[in-house]
Every structure is written in C-alpha cells, then in structure tokens.
Amino acid sequence: MKQILYRPGRIFLSVPHMGGHERNYVQKALEDNWVSTKGPNVPGFEHDICQHTNAQHAVALSSGTAALHLALRVLGVQPGDEVICSTFTFVASANPILYVGATPVFVDSEPETWNMDPVLLEEAIKGTIARGKKPACILLVHLYGMPAKLKEIMEVANRYEIPVLEDAAEALGSRYSGHQVGTFGKVGVFSFNGNKIVTTSGGGALITADEELAKQAEFLANQAKEPAPYYLHSQLGYNYMLSNVSAGIGRGQLEVLEKRVKQRREIYSYYQSQLQEIEGIEFLPEPKTCFTNRWLSTLLLPEGVSPERMRQALEHENIESRQVWKPMHQQPLFSGYSYYGNGTSDRLFERGLCLPSTSSLTDEDLDKVVRTLKQELE
Ligand SMILES: *Cc1c(COP(=O)(O)O)cnc(C)c1O
C-alpha cells in the first residue's frame, strides 16, 4: 500500500502549479511515440526559453545541476582551477565545482540583495591571484529570485577578464535593468525542478549568446557522440538530455510564466502588508534596477526569535516553511575551502525564514500563515 505523504489541507512552500496546456503537449508526445529524448517538444521548449528570456541559444537539460556542470565544462574550467562562488546558496550551485575537480572560493553577500558582495568579490580575486592563479570563473547566484548587483559584479569581472556563470535556477522571470537575469554572464542556468517557479517535473537549461558554447554543451550532454557511423568518443560526456515528455510539460508551463511571477509577487506583497508592522521583522525590498520573481517569500524574524521554533509552530498548523539556505562556508563538505566574509549570510541564516509561496495558494491559506506567525510572535 502506498503511504499518505501529508495531512490533507497542507500549505506547501513551493509545489508545481499546472497551467492546463501541459497535457496537450504531453498527449501529443505519447500519441506520436516521442517519449524519449528525441522529439519536437525539446527544440520547441528551447525556442520558448529563448523567447521568454531573450537569450540567443538555449539547451534543455535534465536538471539545473547538470546545466551548471556543463557550463563549467564549456567555460573550460580545469581540475585545480579556482572558481569564485556565492556562499549564500543551495549546495547544487557549488557541487559542480567539485565535479570538475576545481576549488571553490566562497564570497559573502551584501545586505541589499542578499547576493554576492562586489567588494568582497574583488578581494577574493586579488587573494586568488596572490596565491598564483586568476580565478577561472565567477559563479554568481540570484537567490530567491532577487537579481544580484549585476552592474557592479560585471564591472569587476570584466576588469579582470573572468567569465561569469549565472546561476539563475531560482530567478526565471526576474530582470535587472529590464533584462532577464542569466543573460548578463557568458552562460546562464535555469532549473525546472518541481519546487521552482515553473517546472518540467525535473529539468534545467543552459543559455548563452555564444553558439559554439551551446553546441558544445549539447554535444557533452549527449555522451559526446562524435559524428561517425559507429560510436566514437574523444571527450568525456554525460547523459544530461531532457526527455520530450518533460519538455512538453515545460512548454505548457512557460505559457503561464508571467502569470506565476505575478502571483508570487502578490503573495510576497500580502505577507509584507500584513507583517511589516511587527517590531523587528524585516523584508527584502526590491532595489530600483531589479524586478524579482519573488520565487520564495523570505523575511527576517525579530532578533532572538529562532527560525526553527517558528518552523515548528507553522508545522503544527500543517504549514510548510523552511529556514533560508545554510551558507556553503558553514557546510562540513566545504569546511576546507577559502571564504571571503563580512558576516552577512551568517546573520541572514540566523534570522531568515521562507514562507509558503506556491502560486496556487488561496487567500485563506495566506491568512492562516499570517495568523499563525502573529500568534507565535505574541
Ligand atoms: C534548484 C537549484 C539548483 C539546481 O537545480 P536542479 O534542477 O534541482 O538540479 C541550483 N542552484 C540553485 C540556487 C537552486 O535553487
């Protein structure tokens, strides 16, 4: 017998929300027997991604993590190279650095966007150069959908001529100065995992303006099969392709992306309007140059209120919440690596909580979250 996973009526942090047309694409795939990695939904989905983001080239892949791994490969990151990475992120940003045998150098956040601090970035670059080698890449994360300070970051990166890889896994639909994030660096990455703003049930994509890089990524994702009448391989490849069924779900989901962004922004606005008066609670305002998809609504609890206690109180009411990501420099896995810090991400981790942000939540659901939070704070 199958187990019931959750109590009915649960208010989820971030779960899939179908638009309706996904089934048409999937049904067509089943009817035509295009159920594997070949079939028209894959190039169709890649085309749709380019339309939505204004990217030149998109490669649909099996996950955001796979996309980051391939991005590091096509950017030429070699074993022993150093890669600068945001410390305040999910582990999937940093793991691919180890996959390619490179060494992560973690950089702390600034408080205005919670993303990589451009001043510390330059310190980290100088430190790495002083140890004998220029960093091979800057892996910049746009956390919770909030664009990083791209103007300042790109200025530093360009001055030192270091390629930027944007991890926009959480930031599809977010813009900086009117442009989709992920299009500023040499390569950008999205995730279509089930918890992201739109989903393929599991998938990712790599975008770039460089046709050669896109071709190379596609080649490596398909076991690096050389064009020959037999199986010929001269490079190390992977099985990272997206299936035509998953791509069909993705096509339906991209049709409603703008709607999902609007809904998530409204959820954030509601929480903010209901909770901002509470002494000590802090929200993350949207800087003038930024448009965020508000993938997850996050807030800082009053000093001294433990996010874990609040999570348990919400859980008691069948409401799912989560402490913000634990910074990479605090993770046992990465304890041996360099870290350029100012204490920002440590502070965010001590006080930060992610609230239910699923786009299908009702007004009653949101009201219940707010009531529970207020009660607990009294
Ligand atoms: C989800 C996520 C990823 C990885 O994406 P998957 O599709 O789950 O592999 C990478 N980076 C960040 C910041 C993420 O949130």
Side-chain angles (χ1 to χ4, degrees):
M1 279 294 281
K2 267 194 85 180
Q3 287 228 315
I4 296 168
L5 288 171
Y6 299 107
R7 281 187 283 157
R10 184 167 174 80
I11 298 175
F12 289 103
L13 192 71
S14 184
V15 290
H17 182 187
M18 293 297 109
H21 289 171
E22 295 84 1
R23 73 171 69 234
N24 304 342
Y25 294 104
V26 172
Q27 197 165 342
K28 186 87 171 67
L30 294 173
E31 278 166 8
D32 297 343
N33 202 34
W34 289 119
V35 295
S36 181
T37 51
K38 297 277 179 323
N41 284 335
V42 175
F45 183 47
E46 290 169 342
H47 171 83
D48 295 348
I49 292 170
C50 289
Q51 290 273 300
H52 278 274
T53 60
N54 240 343
Q56 309 286 309
H57 307 279
V59 183
L61 296 162
S62 55
S63 71
T65 311
L68 287 165
H69 185 189
L70 286 182
L72 292 170
R73 282 287 317 268
V74 300
L75 288 172
V77 177
Q78 299 294 322
D81 280 352
E82 305 208 24
V83 173
I84 294 184
C85 182
S86 307
T87 190
F88 192 42
T89 187
F90 178 45
V91 72
S93 307
N95 280 343
I97 300 170
L98 300 187
Y99 297 170
V100 298
T103 304
V105 175
F106 294 110
V107 169
D108 210 348
S109 306
E110 36 77 15
E112 280 167 51
T113 73
W114 294 8
N115 291 309
M116 191 185 282
D117 184 324
V119 177
L120 283 178
L121 166 64
E122 182 157 12
E123 264 184 46
I125 294 172
K126 284 181 177 160
T128 309
I129 292 172
R131 285 197 300 278
K133 205 168 172 185
K134 197 164 85 174
C137 175
I138 297 164
L139 204 163
L140 174 68
V141 184
H142 306 290
L143 210 63
Y144 300 119
M146 180 63 80
K149 290 192 169 177
L150 274 160
K151 180 169 159 270
E152 290 84 350
I153 302 270
M154 293 309 297
E155 191 278 316
V156 174
N158 290 337
R159 193 147 39 81
Y160 287 89
E161 299 180 337
I162 302 169
V164 172
L165 163 54
E166 289 180 78
D167 179 350
E170 302 176 359
L172 183 63
S174 298
R175 298 192 288 273
Y176 182 90
S177 295
H179 300 283
Q180 167 68 50
V181 302
T183 60
F184 289 79
K186 197 122 182 80
V187 178
V189 162
F190 299 116
S191 166
F192 300 101
N193 192 40
N195 64 341
K196 298 306 197 294
I197 192 157
V198 293
T199 185
T200 57
S201 81
L206 176 157
I207 59 169
T208 178
D210 186 323
E211 189 177 1
E212 271 316 302
L213 290 191
K215 277 192 180 146
Q216 184 65 9
E218 204 166 349
F219 171 72
L220 293 177
N222 190 15
Q223 307 283 21
K225 278 182 202 145
E226 304 281 354
Y230 43 85
Y231 290 100
L232 179 67
H233 306 275
S234 54
Q235 289 187 57
L236 177 63
Y238 313 91
N239 180 6
Y240 278 170
M241 297 207 298
L242 188 68
S243 93
N244 193 57
V245 175
S246 297
I249 299 174
R251 295 203 77 181
Q253 285 274 280
L254 282 181
E255 289 182 15
V256 292
L257 173 63
E258 293 314 314
K259 210 159 140 188
R260 297 292 175 261
V261 170
K262 188 164 169 282
Q263 287 162 326
R264 297 230 179 200
R265 287 175 60 88
E266 281 167 3
I267 290 172
Y268 175 86
S269 296
Y270 180 76
Y271 286 136
Q272 190 181 30
S273 70
Q274 297 300 304
L275 298 167
Q276 66 185 356
E277 295 309 321
I278 296 174
E279 182 83 25
I281 279 197
E282 285 177 57
F283 282 87
L284 182 64
E286 190 172 55
K288 264 207 294 297
T289 43
C290 296
F291 175 86
T292 153
N293 69 6
R294 294 290 186 197
W295 170 57
L296 292 187
S297 285
T298 52
L299 52 72
L300 299 181
L301 293 167
E303 212 88 53
V305 177
S306 122
E308 176 50 18
R309 211 195 70 204
M310 186 58 78
R311 190 193 67 78
Q312 285 174 17
L314 290 162
E315 187 58 49
H316 188 73
E317 298 299 318
N318 206 13
I319 298 168
E320 185 185 22
S321 65
R322 200 75 59 79
Q323 205 167 342
V324 298
W325 303 123
K326 185 179 172 79
M328 291 305 109
H329 70 270
Q330 290 193 30
Q331 301 287 353
L333 174 64
F334 295 114
S335 61
Y337 297 102
S338 312
Y339 159 59
Y340 291 80
N342 55 20
T344 300
S345 61
D346 295 332
R347 277 196 297 277
L348 295 172
F349 179 63
E350 269 164 37
R351 289 180 52 201
L353 190 70
C354 305
L355 297 179
S357 308
T358 302
S359 42
S360 56
L361 291 179
T362 64
D363 292 352
E364 290 73 44
D365 292 335
L366 297 177
D367 189 51
K368 186 177 170 187
V369 176
V370 166
R371 261 187 291 119
T372 309
L373 250 159
K374 280 184 171 166
Q375 261 166 23
E376 189 60 24
L377 285 172
E378 262 162 21

